[in-house]
Amino acid sequence: VLFRSLKMGNRMGENLLIAAEKFATIAALMGAEYPEKALDKAWRQILCGQHHDSITGTHNEISYVDLMNSYREVLELGTDVLNRSLDYLAAGTPAKPESVPVAVFNSMAWERTDMATLTVQNPGMASFQLRDAKGKNVPFDARHVVYDEAGNVASAEITFLCKDMPSMGYRTYMLEASDKPLPIAKPKSDTVIENEYYRIEVDPERGGGITSLFDKEAKREVLDRKGWHIGNEIAALQELPNREETQHEFYTTGMRMFSRDYPATVESETGKTGATLRIRYQMADLCGVVQEITLHKGVKRVDCRVFLLDWQGEHQLFVVTFPTSLKGATPVFDERFGVVARNDSKNYLDFRTHQMAMFSDCAVYAAN
């Protein structure tokens, strides 16, 4: 849907420019030249698309292409400013002989503990370990490892936990040579993963959907396990074709496909930093699906990703559902400047709008 991609481009640009401005300002205080012209143009491109008939999607295809080109330039300018600012700040990072310094920055205004992913290229080592500024070993998982002809690492993607990252600050880590092989998690057949916060179980016979999401701190099941539906379930809703409506109008027909109706293959991958369930299945002749569910050690969050492979259909609206056991709760959706409560649809996953009328009592809203 056109207006969804516009909103995503807009939000990506806003977040990127805010981070770029912050670190460019700090770099300028330390002697760098502030990139005023680049940021000024990028913000003008963002603001130009925020009037009523641009970001909402109520325009023609030519305007859409123009707006997407503007967002592309925003991302190019913002990325260049951010990278140059971080390079300038990281240049003062202390280094040790025969080690590769790594600086991880936190652009948030609060202290943060979260995962970081880094692509290591040509460190000049056959294997390496990661240490923090105090010399303590930091566990990490390595993926996509490629070696050169001399047996040294040419490239590798590593994931590790950054604890207590200072607000608007950074922490330094060191890559040092190691005589131990890189920690590469190997997949195995399993349907359960857990960390100190959650335990998750999926059912391969029901599309690999989540049948149990147990909160260890609250000591309770999060999902409603009494109904037909399961957690992380994909639904493809058929929309009425050939309606002369604008891009933000939705009109589902009632025809639905659910991932729970298709068997899946499930494998787990447990490493130093967490565990992932990888689920694969085919939704009839519509598309292939890969879903990933990840629990990180030390992070109180469940990460879910969905990949639709070789989708050959049209007029389908894909949604993901999580039937929770929260009785009497009201669905609340995130808007730019607040939160809004919405009605339930008259029928399950029923979305029908026409201009100012909502025949199903519920339109389609983004849930962040």
Side-chain angles (χ1 to χ4, degrees):
V1 181
L2 298 184
F3 84 102
R4 288 293 181 216
S5 55
L6 292 174
K7 289 178 183 290
M8 288 189 290
N10 177 80
R11 182 61 62 90
M12 289 171 63
E14 288 177 334
N15 290 340
L16 177 62
L17 291 183
I18 290 172
E21 278 191 337
K22 290 177 180 178
F23 289 115
T25 301
I26 297 174
L29 292 173
M30 299 179 66
E33 182 179 352
Y34 187 75
E36 177 183 356
K37 293 182 179 179
L39 289 172
D40 179 82
K41 183 174 185 181
W43 275 118
R44 289 176 187 272
Q45 296 284 50
I46 284 280
L47 296 174
C48 180
Q50 291 193 346
H51 63 85
H52 176 74
D53 286 324
S54 280
I55 196 173
T56 55
T58 54
H59 52 258
N60 59 28
E61 287 80 1
I62 296 176
S63 299
Y64 169 79
V65 172
D66 287 342
L67 285 166
M68 291 306 292
N69 284 335
S70 296
Y71 289 135
R72 184 177 292 111
E73 186 174 20
V74 169
L75 297 178
E76 290 175 349
L77 290 169
T79 300
D80 185 62
V81 169
L82 180 61
N83 288 344
R84 288 173 181 267
S85 300
L86 295 182
D87 285 344
Y88 187 89
L89 296 172
T93 301
K96 296 180 181 179
E98 299 181 353
S99 66
V100 178
V102 175
V104 180
F105 291 84
N106 176 23
S107 63
M108 301 293 103
W110 54 84
E111 188 178 89
R112 183 180 180 188
T113 295
D114 212 328
M115 305 305 296
T117 299
L118 168 70
T119 299
V120 179
Q121 292 184 322
N122 299 314
M125 309 169 189
S127 183
F128 53 81
Q129 57 190 340
L130 185 66
R131 297 188 183 275
D132 62 18
K134 296 182 179 179
K136 293 183 61 177
N137 188 59
V138 178
F140 68 91
D141 287 312
R143 297 178 178 85
H144 312 304
V145 181
V146 178
Y147 294 93
D148 60 21
E149 294 179 355
N152 290 328
V153 175
S155 66
E157 181 183 281
I158 67 171
T159 302
F160 58 98
L161 181 67
C162 298
K163 292 184 178 180
D164 305 324
M165 290 285 294
S167 62
M168 280 306 301
Y170 70 95
R171 291 202 183 281
T172 304
Y173 300 86
M174 294 290 175
L175 291 175
E176 300 177 356
S178 173
D179 56 359
K180 297 180 180 179
L182 291 176
I184 301 175
K186 295 182 179 180
K188 62 179 181 179
S189 297
D190 201 354
T191 58
V192 178
I193 57 172
E194 59 184 313
N195 63 1
E196 60 266 49
Y197 300 109
Y198 301 108
R199 182 183 184 275
I200 293 177
E201 183 174 1
V202 301
D203 184 359
E205 297 301 319
R206 303 173 69 186
I210 300 175
T211 55
S212 176
L213 173 51
F214 188 79
D215 187 328
K216 294 182 178 181
E217 288 189 332
K219 298 180 180 179
R220 66 184 298 270
E221 178 64 41
V222 175
L223 296 180
D224 180 2
R225 305 176 71 180
K226 297 179 182 178
W228 288 98
H229 299 283
I230 49 183
N232 204 34
E233 180 180 47
I234 303 299
L237 314 179
Q238 189 70 32
E239 290 190 79
L240 192 64
N242 302 322
R243 294 181 71 231
E244 295 183 358
E245 301 287 357
T246 56
Q247 292 93 328
H248 60 272
E249 297 281 3
F250 296 87
Y251 207 98
T252 56
T253 65
M255 294 180 62
R256 300 185 287 257
M257 295 175 63
F258 294 101
S259 58
R260 70 167 188 269
D261 295 327
Y262 302 93
T265 60
V266 179
E267 65 181 21
S268 69
E269 187 179 278
T270 302
K272 302 285 186 180
T273 63
T276 296
L277 287 170
R278 192 165 290 108
I279 301 149
R280 295 182 174 90
Y281 56 91
Q282 181 77 25
M283 288 187 72
D285 58 354
L286 187 62
C287 64
V289 181
V290 177
Q291 291 179 265
E292 293 180 350
I293 307 169
T294 301
L295 294 176
H296 300 291
K297 293 180 180 178
V299 179
K300 191 178 181 182
R301 184 181 68 236
V302 180
D303 287 351
C304 298
R305 297 203 298 174
V306 179
F307 302 90
L308 303 180
L309 308 178
D310 195 26
W311 173 54
Q312 296 295 322
E314 58 181 353
H315 305 299
Q316 277 97 28
L317 174 65
F318 285 87
V319 299
V320 59
T321 68
F322 282 86
T324 62
S325 59
L326 303 174
K327 304 305 179 184
T330 299
V332 177
F333 294 86
D334 183 20
E335 298 288 350
R336 286 192 62 195
F337 305 111
V339 291
V340 180
R342 303 295 190 186
N343 295 332
D344 291 339
S345 56
K346 288 182 178 179
N347 300 306
Y348 185 68
L349 296 179
D350 178 23
F351 306 107
R352 286 173 292 134
T353 61
H354 174 68
Q355 297 178 1
M356 300 302 293
M358 291 191 185
F359 301 106
S360 57
D361 280 350
C362 184
V364 176
Y365 303 103
N368 296 330

